[in-house]
Amino acid sequence: MKNAVIGNNKQKANLIVLGAVPRLLYLLQQETSSTELRTECAVVLGSLAMGTENNVKSLLDCHIIPALLQGLLSPDLKFIEACLRCLRTIFISPVTPEDLLYTDGTVISHLMALLSRSPYTQEYICQIFSHCCKGPDHQTILFNHGAVQNIAHLLVSTSYKVRMQALKCFSVLAFENPQVSMTLVNVSVDGELLPQIFVKMLQRDKPIEMQLTSAKCLTSMCRAGAIRTDDPCIVLKTLPCLVRMCSKDRLLEERVEGAETLAYLIETDVELQRMASITDHLIVMLADYFKYPSSVSAITDIKRLDHDLKHAHELRQAAFKLYASLGANDEDIRKKIIETENMMDRIVNGLSESSIKVRLAAVRCLHSLSRSVQQLRTSFQDHAVWKPLMKVLQNAPNEILVVASSTLCNLLLEFSPSKEPILESGAIELLCSLTQSENLALRVNGIWALMNMAFQAEQKIKSDILRGLSTEQLFQLLSDSDVNVLMKTLGLLRNLLSTRPHIDHIMSTHGKQIMQAVTLILEGEHNIEVKEQTLCILANIADGTTAKELIMTNDDILQKIKYYMSHSNAKLQLAAMFCISNLIWNEEEGKKPSLLMHRQVTILIKKLLLNSNICSAQCIGIQSVMGNIILGVVWIVGVVRRHEEDAESSLGETQGHSDNKQELERHRGGFHL
């Protein structure tokens, strides 16, 4: 049987259909079977597992894993190695659930104990761990069972296969795991720290597989904070090694893994991004990823060429990812990327590719480049990028929608020429629907985009936004448990309530609901930033001609403003001060600014100035902010005194007041990072 199935998938399938698997498992589990027979059964089962995925499914249906795990309790080393080899083959199959390894808590402990038995047990067990460690829960289980200590010494094994599998095991254990990474950086083997061992494995004379995996280990440790980004082992060793892997003389899978690992390494560090961009002409080198394999390809192996043609999309995906990381922060790098041959066309084409992963990477790249004011005004407009982006938003998985909607936020900034055509394409309805999503990131992006859209917008657009959201949905967003959603919703309200005619119009139709929402937030348990934003909305309402009556006739709101005037936080004091200054400021055409209209405001100001402990707050507040508060107090004192001396005298416009009022009128949307 063993000789018949080797290298013959058809024969393997025939044996499975004929019922060989249950019989082999029966013999393997019988204590009366000789060790040689049980070993041969494990070998044949391992050979069957090397066939198609359907073969592996058939083996799993026969409950092969519990039988093999039971076999590991045998004292015979050859039988144990055969069982581990078969388990390894089954677990590396994509159809095998990784959790099957963790159903029995004693299995991991026993596998750790078997690591010392032979080089074969070390190789197979490390390979099983590296394929079955798929998240923080698995990492924690292996870490708690002493994986780091038990595997570390294998990095200096005389067997290359053992060293390689141990290295792969560490690369998955450390990925996005600060606990493991912090432990690894302090572990030593034969007097040498693990990072030093990893650096040795990066040397050019080592196999490419070893260089890449070592670079992945160091990258994970760096991203977890265990190694500084300016450490020589990152700057002088890891980064150059990964750039080398992007060279066109490397195999496709090496180029893909190198680019994706480098993208992860430099993703959040601007200095590493700048360094990578000038290493070995990386930006130009990545352009070759879109031309592979070319008509003059050096590939002579037909099977290799066929493989690369099927997987060429992985190169494009990796290139988009790395471009996205390179252009995350630096304007000069973004300019170089966009000036690369046909770059914008490639991104636009990537948005419509059949592969979801390529589309997602293309959107991420577009999002990164959309942080540039210059590119929004030039390249993005020249290529009408907003059109394919809107198509992506119509029907896409959530993971793509999140990044695409983030990009749309940037395209809706006031200096973007794409803002107007996006509005005309029906974006308001789409964005309002995003605010109702169960996905938190989509809710945030939907309201963020609407906030940017409302900035300095016409009254019709603002009315359309309010109509699309509905009062019920607005209240839902204002009561959202996530502070980001709440802050962006308040930012939207600030932008809607700007420009005096717009303020009066919106408050005439939605005033009651907005005042109710403001009251609820000021009374709720919210942080300083949320309450400051809410007071700024009140300041904008107070700037309206007729809208301010909704505050003046609301004793509850006036009392809250009075309370925040004497609050210990400088930001809240300042925001409350501008509420008052806008309430007493009257700029109706043909009328002089006067306090005669609101005698009760004059009385309130006097009480506030008498009761508020401004000097005490100034001592503990931020000096610059408190300076603004004092200027506000001086201005109001001047107004009150001039009013008392001569009610008919003109107060005149104060540039400082005008500037601050303008600041409070709007909440300019920032780039979505």
Side-chain angles (χ1 to χ4, degrees):
M1 288 177 68
K2 181 175 68 175
N3 293 337
V5 299
I6 290 176
N8 193 327
N9 283 343
K10 186 176 180 181
Q11 284 285 59
K12 291 175 183 177
N14 287 338
L15 279 178
I16 291 172
V17 170
L18 291 170
V21 175
R23 181 63 179 166
L24 289 168
L25 286 173
Y26 172 78
L27 293 171
L28 183 141
Q29 296 177 86
Q30 285 298 304
E31 292 183 3
T32 55
S33 300
S34 68
T35 302
E36 290 78 12
L37 175 58
R38 297 170 75 189
T39 302
E40 287 298 322
C41 288
V43 170
V44 175
L45 288 168
S47 185
L48 294 176
M50 289 183 180
T52 65
E53 290 182 0
N54 286 332
N55 290 2
V56 178
K57 288 179 182 178
S58 299
L59 293 172
L60 291 173
D61 291 340
C62 293
H63 307 289
I64 188 174
I65 290 180
L68 292 171
L69 290 175
Q70 187 67 28
L72 298 181
L73 299 175
S74 169
D76 187 85
L77 181 58
K78 293 293 183 185
F79 179 51
I80 290 173
E81 290 174 349
C83 289
L84 282 173
R85 190 183 303 112
C86 186
L87 280 168
R88 180 274 313 268
T89 305
I90 292 170
F91 274 118
I92 65 176
S93 171
V95 301
T96 306
E98 299 84 12
D99 288 334
L100 290 175
L101 184 66
Y102 304 96
T103 50
D104 185 344
T106 62
V107 170
I108 303 299
S109 298
H110 189 61
L111 289 173
M112 293 292 178
L114 291 175
L115 277 170
S116 60
R117 295 295 298 273
S118 75
Y120 288 119
T121 63
Q122 294 168 351
E123 177 191 344
Y124 302 147
I125 291 172
C126 285
Q127 199 168 358
I128 290 170
F129 286 161
S130 62
H131 278 87
C132 293
C133 187
K134 298 295 185 183
D137 291 340
H138 295 164
Q139 289 171 330
T140 300
I141 292 172
L142 293 175
F143 179 79
N144 290 340
H145 279 85
V148 173
Q149 292 75 14
N150 286 306
I151 297 174
H153 71 280
L154 302 182
L155 290 171
V156 294
S157 169
T158 55
S159 166
Y160 170 77
K161 289 184 177 180
V162 172
R163 293 201 305 276
M164 198 60 242
Q165 294 306 327
L167 195 57
K168 287 182 177 179
C169 200
F170 279 132
S171 75
V172 296
L173 279 172
F175 182 66
E176 294 184 343
N177 193 309
Q179 183 185 27
V180 174
S181 296
M182 292 295 184
T183 303
L184 287 178
V185 80
N186 294 312
V187 172
S188 64
V189 179
D190 294 342
E192 199 168 24
L193 291 172
L194 285 192
Q196 296 172 328
I197 295 175
F198 293 150
V199 168
K200 284 185 177 180
M201 292 178 169
L202 285 175
Q203 293 173 1
R204 294 180 185 232
D205 61 339
K206 296 294 188 290
I208 296 298
E209 180 187 31
M210 181 172 281
Q211 291 183 48
L212 257 176
T213 312
S214 299
K216 288 175 73 173
C217 290
L218 290 165
T219 294
S220 294
M221 294 167 71
C222 179
R223 285 298 306 269
I227 300 177
R228 291 168 54 92
T229 56
D230 59 356
D231 191 291
C233 76
I234 297 297
V235 177
L236 302 179
K237 299 293 183 180
T238 308
L239 189 146
C241 172
L242 291 171
V243 172
R244 284 200 310 271
M245 296 302 140
C246 299
S247 171
K248 61 182 178 182
D249 59 351
R250 301 260 59 89
L251 295 176
L252 180 145
E253 48 267 36
E254 294 166 356
R255 297 174 75 185
V256 169
E257 195 170 3
E260 291 188 342
T261 306
L262 181 57
Y264 180 57
L265 173 65
I266 68 174
E267 187 178 17
T268 58
D269 190 273
V270 64
E271 290 304 320
L272 288 179
Q273 290 159 12
R274 288 171 180 156
M275 194 168 300
S277 70
I278 59 173
T279 303
D280 291 349
H281 307 286
L282 178 63
I283 292 176
V284 176
M285 190 192 303
L286 285 175
D288 289 333
Y289 277 47
F290 298 96
K291 307 171 185 177
Y292 185 86
S294 65
S295 56
V296 291
S297 175
I299 301 175
T300 55
D301 185 341
I302 298 300
K303 287 185 178 180
R304 183 75 212 180
L305 182 61
D306 182 60
H307 170 272
D308 286 3
L309 285 170
K310 290 178 180 177
H311 294 271
H313 67 279
E314 295 178 13
L315 275 174
R316 297 192 293 276
Q317 173 193 337
F320 282 136
K321 280 185 178 179
L322 186 45
Y323 275 137
S325 291
L326 284 167
N329 296 287
D330 191 282
E331 183 66 20
D332 291 335
I333 298 176
R334 293 190 194 110
K335 189 171 183 292
K336 289 178 183 177
I337 292 172
I338 288 181
E339 289 174 351
T340 304
E341 181 185 358
N342 301 324
M343 190 62 210
M344 291 306 293
D345 290 331
R346 285 167 178 157
I347 294 174
V348 170
N349 292 335
L351 296 176
S352 58
E353 283 219 22
S354 57
S355 167
I356 290 178
K357 290 183 177 180
V358 176
R359 291 209 307 274
L360 177 60
V363 175
R364 287 193 187 282
C365 184
L366 191 67
H367 179 217
S368 179
L369 298 176
S370 72
R371 297 169 187 161
S372 165
V373 176
Q374 180 184 354
Q375 302 309 329
L376 283 176
R377 288 174 170 166
T378 53
S379 301
F380 276 58
Q381 181 66 6
D382 295 341
H383 292 82
V385 170
W386 66 271
K387 290 182 180 179
L389 185 65
M390 289 298 291
K391 286 183 181 178
V392 169
L393 284 162
Q394 299 300 326
N395 185 22
N398 275 0
E399 57 181 344
I400 293 180
L401 275 179
V402 169
V403 187
S405 56
S406 299
T407 309
L408 190 64
C409 289
N410 293 346
L411 266 63
L412 286 170
L413 290 165
E414 79 276 10
F415 45 74
S416 169
S418 303
K419 181 174 182 177
E420 188 174 341
I422 289 173
L423 283 169
E424 293 171 355
S425 68
I428 292 178
E429 183 180 351
L430 170 67
L431 295 173
C432 289
S433 68
L434 289 182
T435 65
Q436 301 176 29
S437 172
E438 293 182 2
N439 184 293
L440 173 60
L442 287 179
R443 287 204 307 280
V444 171
N445 289 350
I447 202 70
W448 193 333
L450 288 171
M451 182 185 77
N452 286 355
M453 188 183 288
F455 180 69
Q456 293 184 337
E458 298 174 359
Q459 186 170 303
K460 180 183 180 303
I461 294 171
K462 293 181 179 180
S463 299
D464 289 344
I465 292 172
L466 280 170
R467 196 179 303 112
L469 272 181
S470 77
T471 306
E472 182 182 351
Q473 177 61 12
L474 193 61
F475 268 94
Q476 190 78 20
L477 292 167
L478 288 171
S479 59
D480 198 287
S481 58
D482 185 79
V483 69
N484 289 324
V485 174
L486 178 55
M487 285 292 287
K488 297 304 174 191
T489 307
L490 292 172
L492 170 63
L493 277 176
R494 281 183 68 180
N495 285 353
L496 292 172
L497 294 168
S498 63
T499 311
R500 194 166 289 113
H502 298 178
I503 295 171
D504 291 334
H505 174 75
I506 291 172
M507 293 305 292
S508 67
T509 54
H510 298 82
K512 183 179 178 182
Q513 296 90 336
I514 291 174
M515 293 303 291
Q516 184 182 351
V518 166
T519 303
L520 287 172
I521 292 172
L522 289 177
E523 289 178 348
E525 294 293 328
H526 296 290
N527 60 36
I528 297 297
E529 288 72 21
V530 169
K531 294 200 173 184
E532 180 194 15
Q533 193 81 261
T534 308
L535 287 170
C536 289
I537 291 171
L538 276 180
N540 283 10
I541 295 171
D543 191 54
T545 304
T546 59
K548 68 174 62 184
E549 292 295 335
L550 290 166
I551 298 177
M552 295 304 303
T553 56
N554 190 326
D555 289 337
D556 187 28
I557 288 291
L558 288 173
Q559 286 301 316
K560 284 179 171 54
I561 294 173
K562 176 181 177 180
Y563 167 75
Y564 286 109
M565 280 279 290
S566 57
H567 197 278
S568 60
N569 185 273
K571 291 182 178 180
L572 295 183
Q573 279 191 341
L574 183 59
M577 182 71 69
F578 284 118
C579 289
I580 297 299
S581 67
N582 281 352
L583 281 174
I584 64 176
W585 194 262
N586 189 344
E587 294 179 356
E588 282 189 284
E589 195 173 333
K591 291 186 180 181
K592 296 179 180 180
S594 172
L595 300 181
L596 290 175
M597 297 174 59
H598 304 303
R599 180 64 183 173
Q600 57 177 308
V601 175
T602 308
I603 297 170
L604 175 61
I605 292 294
K606 287 181 177 179
K607 288 182 178 179
L608 290 173
L609 293 175
L610 289 171
N611 297 333
S612 298
N613 189 14
I614 300 292
C615 294
S616 174
Q618 180 188 359
C619 293
I620 62 172
I622 302 172
Q623 198 171 28
S624 60
V625 176
M626 290 311 302
N628 288 335
I629 292 178
I630 294 169
L631 287 175
V633 172
V634 171
W635 180 83
I636 293 175
V637 170
V639 172
V640 174
R641 285 179 178 171
R642 283 197 295 272
H643 166 65
E644 291 176 339
E645 292 171 1
D646 184 2
E648 297 301 321
S649 65
S650 172
L651 297 176
E653 285 199 11
T654 305
Q655 185 62 40
H657 164 74
S658 176
D659 286 346
N660 285 315
K661 176 170 63 63
Q662 185 180 22
E663 177 189 338
L664 291 168
E665 279 181 355
R666 304 189 304 270
H667 183 70
R668 176 176 178 177
F671 277 112
H672 194 302
L673 302 179

